[in-house]
Amino acid sequence: MWRSVRLLSPPHHTHLPGLPWDRPSSAPPSGPEVAAYFARYEEHFRFPVHRPVTVRRVANDGPDVTVTRDTPLLIHTDAGRWRARAVINATGTWDRPFVPTVPGASDFRGRQLHAAHYHAPEEFTGQRVAVVGGGHSALQILAEISTVADTLWITRRPPEFRTAPLTEADLVAVTDAVAAHAATGRPLRSVVSYTGLVETPEVARARERGVLKARPMVDSLTPDGVAWTDGTTEPVDTIVWATGFRPVLTHLAPLRLRSELGGIKLADTRAAVDPRVHLVGYGPSASMISAHRAAATAARVLAAGRP
């Protein structure tokens, strides 16, 4: 994560069971804080983590296997193979950043990077930077880059800001709404389409500076910048694509979990077509609050001896 990232979830939902997290502030924790706490948690409980391991595919043990709840799964990795009665897939989205296809992208002479590879604003000092995206990542990155550079904000849809703070009850309601959507097997929507944009103090200061004036999505890139079909062009030195991520699920392809609508239909944390596979960090469990709920659900099911 980038250096200054902050979580939007309430801080007391960031800690994990069994290990207190004493923080000097009740403010939303930063990415480095969360990562350090997770490392302490792993060390404290001495979890038998195998690292580094790349999972290449999860499949049945043979092409003609009759699949039941008791049929083992075969996990193929670069460090060997494992058999398991169930798999909790918690791969999230960070390893699969999405950049839209835009005509002229290969002709642009400036720098292009995804938000996944953004670190700090200082490297953009004095530049003209286009930040593309309408979610919280785009908003946070835009707010801080605009302190050292001339910025242009580009979104596919007009941004919608919340008029009230995002409460725990709001986040739970969003989780339930996403769960209802995922239960239909339809492709996932962005989280911000449910929550709206939250105006942090940094974003409020950016608004005061006149930064939050969104332009519609560009139609093409030019060698020196961006362009729209009405003939309008803008020169830019760098484009930051804060255009989201896609779930990291390629390794599960042999199990054919996707519905005819393109998403994975869920029953609680389980894939509806294969209850041996639990998805944590997918769809309704993509936030800190919902990840806790989903992890607890999967753990209870598996501890009871059920896939």
Side-chain angles (χ1 to χ4, degrees):
M1 303 295 287
W2 62 92
R3 186 182 65 193
S4 62
V5 69
R6 292 289 185 275
L7 299 189
L8 296 176
S9 303
H12 63 279
H13 276 281
T14 307
H15 70 81
L16 299 172
L19 184 65
W21 188 9
D22 296 322
R23 299 181 62 245
S25 168
S26 61
S30 69
E33 280 185 279
V34 177
Y37 171 69
F38 286 171
R40 290 197 303 274
Y41 195 86
E42 179 185 322
E43 181 180 359
H44 178 81
F45 288 103
R46 297 182 180 179
F47 293 132
V49 177
H50 295 266
R51 177 189 294 120
V53 175
T54 299
V55 176
R56 292 171 173 155
R57 58 197 296 263
V58 179
N60 293 306
D61 191 3
D64 301 319
V65 173
T66 300
V67 177
T68 70
R69 286 178 178 268
D70 299 319
T71 304
L73 290 162
L74 193 61
I75 297 95
H76 300 258
T77 82
D78 63 349
R81 296 193 300 178
W82 281 271
R83 279 185 173 81
R85 62 185 178 87
V87 167
I88 297 178
N89 190 82
T91 48
T93 63
W94 197 252
D95 289 332
R96 197 181 169 199
F98 171 74
V99 175
T101 300
V102 179
S106 61
D107 299 324
F108 179 63
R109 290 192 290 255
R111 180 187 178 194
Q112 299 184 60
L113 70 155
H114 191 274
H117 306 119
Y118 170 76
H119 177 61
E122 291 84 0
E123 61 184 303
F124 306 99
T125 299
Q127 296 185 19
R128 189 151 202 257
V129 181
V131 178
V132 184
H136 286 109
S137 294
L139 195 58
Q140 287 187 29
I141 291 171
L142 174 74
E144 68 175 26
I145 287 182
S146 65
T147 64
V148 300
D150 183 21
T151 55
L152 180 67
W153 189 21
I154 298 169
T155 65
R156 189 170 296 281
R157 302 177 186 83
E160 296 184 7
F161 285 85
R162 293 183 59 85
T163 57
L166 192 62
T167 66
E168 182 176 335
D170 293 330
L171 290 169
V172 171
V174 166
T175 297
D176 292 341
V178 179
H181 183 92
T184 67
R186 288 177 290 171
L188 300 176
R189 290 165 44 190
S190 66
V191 173
V192 75
S193 68
Y194 294 93
T195 64
L197 291 168
V198 177
E199 190 164 300
T200 63
E202 293 81 6
V203 172
R205 289 193 287 271
R207 182 184 294 281
E208 293 171 359
R209 296 195 303 272
V211 172
L212 306 187
K213 297 177 181 178
R215 301 279 295 273
M217 184 60 186
V218 299
D219 296 289
S220 64
L221 304 188
T222 68
D224 301 311
V226 296
W228 291 265
T229 53
D230 64 1
T232 303
T233 61
E234 290 282 357
V236 296
D237 301 300
T238 300
I239 301 172
V240 179
W241 296 100
T243 42
F245 301 81
R246 297 294 184 264
V248 179
L249 300 171
T250 305
H251 54 289
L252 300 179
L255 299 177
R256 301 181 182 274
L257 302 180
R258 292 192 182 276
S259 75
E260 65 277 4
L261 298 177
I264 297 179
K265 187 175 181 179
L266 296 182
D268 291 325
T269 61
R270 289 167 285 191
V273 299
D274 195 332
R276 300 171 300 170
V277 180
H278 294 253
L279 295 167
V280 176
Y282 174 85
S285 59
S287 73
M288 291 300 291
I289 286 180
S290 55
H292 279 219
R293 294 170 63 187
T297 298
R300 282 194 295 267
V301 169
L302 294 174
R306 307 191 308 273

